[in-house]
Amino acid sequence: MEYNFLKKNNKILKVGIYSAYFPNLDKRFILYQKKVFDKFNLKLNQVEILPNMLGRGFNSHGTFLTELSKNEDVDYLIFFDADAIPLKSNFLDIVIDRIHGKNTILGIEQ
């Protein structure tokens, strides 16, 4: 997995960004989402939820994300829907600034 590192209040924060999707998704979403993250110089982990993963208890998108959350060692964990594409290059700074130092979950509306 790849991570992003941000400096906030003289501390380096490790941020994992994930986009999980099923095999039947139109691959253009994945392609263009990755291109935008690359343009913004941000690491994005796109994970295809394969049928063999479903047999290991990942019976839904939510279950997969829950299991990933339990096993990831990061300061912040961000999930993007496969069809969600950030429009501003500084979106990660904006999101982390809103939640840094808080025990919270933040949902970004479409």
Side-chain angles (χ1 to χ4, degrees):
M1 298 296 164
E2 297 186 278
Y3 302 100
N4 299 280
F5 296 92
L6 298 172
K7 187 173 184 179
K8 295 289 177 197
N9 300 331
N10 295 319
K11 182 181 177 188
I12 302 297
L13 303 173
K14 183 178 176 184
V15 180
I17 303 176
Y18 291 88
S19 179
Y21 61 94
F22 288 108
N24 62 343
L25 180 72
D26 184 331
K27 299 302 186 251
R28 289 177 291 183
F29 287 110
I30 303 306
L31 173 70
Y32 290 118
Q33 185 185 52
K34 181 73 170 122
K35 284 185 177 191
V36 171
F37 275 80
D38 288 347
K39 173 126 177 103
F40 293 162
N41 293 315
L42 292 171
K43 309 279 191 226
L44 171 67
N45 298 289
Q46 292 176 307
V47 181
E48 186 173 17
I49 303 173
L50 299 170
N52 67 335
M53 297 168 112
L54 297 176
R56 292 185 294 164
F58 301 127
N59 57 2
S60 72
H61 186 257
T63 304
F64 178 80
L65 298 179
T66 298
E67 290 304 313
L68 179 65
S69 298
K70 291 178 185 178
N71 296 308
E72 210 23 311
D73 183 25
V74 293
D75 295 298
Y76 294 100
L77 186 57
I78 298 175
F79 296 118
F80 266 81
D81 285 342
D83 62 350
I85 297 173
L87 300 177
K88 294 184 175 188
S89 61
N90 66 336
F91 86 89
L92 187 57
D93 287 317
I94 293 169
V95 169
I96 299 302
D97 283 346
R98 287 180 69 185
I99 62 174
H100 184 64
K102 299 174 184 169
N103 186 14
T104 188
I105 295 174
L106 172 69
I108 303 296
E109 61 283 342
Q110 296 181 356

